[in-house]
């Protein structure tokens, strides 16, 4: 697949993802965020495998960047979920 095809998939996924997330009621955000954290863990695993199988230095560097960004996403998601769940606990 060429770079234009990959760019088209990225743009389509971004638009569809934004449209889907914007229609979710605020009451469902916390459970959905917990589920998305689990999916982000799969992204980390995929980035690890892709980086391990990379042959060129350029591909390995991109893999490391993907791992770092996915881990930031996982950690941030858990922190936000934890903070939101604390709001529902009594004092």
């Amino acid at each position: 697949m060429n770079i234009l095809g990959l760019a088209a998939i990225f743009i389509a996924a971004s638009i569809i993802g934004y449209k889907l997330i914007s229609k979710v009621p605020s009451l469902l955000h916390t459970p959905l965020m917990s589920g998305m954290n689990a999916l982000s863990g799969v992204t980390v695993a995929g980035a690890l495998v892709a980086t391990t199988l990379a042959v060129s230095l350029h591909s390995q560097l991109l893999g490391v960047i993907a791992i770092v960004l996915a881990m930031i996403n996982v950690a941030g998601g858990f922190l936000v979920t934890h903070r939101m769940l604390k709001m529902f606990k009594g004092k």
Side-chain angles (χ1 to χ4, degrees):
M1 183 172 279
N2 62 12
I3 191 78
L4 290 176
L6 293 174
I9 291 171
F10 175 75
I11 291 170
S14 298
I15 292 170
I16 291 169
Y18 176 77
K19 292 289 185 183
L20 287 174
I21 295 299
S22 66
K23 302 220 183 297
V24 174
S26 58
L27 184 62
L28 295 176
H29 275 135
T30 301
L32 286 176
M33 284 178 59
S34 298
M36 290 311 299
N37 286 338
L39 287 176
S40 294
V42 173
T43 305
V44 173
L48 284 168
V49 170
T51 304
T52 303
L53 298 176
V55 178
S56 69
L57 180 64
H58 181 261
S59 298
Q60 291 172 349
L61 289 175
L62 286 175
V64 169
I65 292 169
I67 292 168
V68 168
L69 291 175
M71 284 305 300
I72 289 171
N73 189 25
V74 169
F78 278 118
L79 288 173
V80 169
T81 302
H82 178 69
R83 186 173 178 183
M84 289 176 74
L85 289 175
K86 256 183 19 181
M87 289 175 20
F88 292 107
K89 289 184 180 176
K91 292 186 178 191

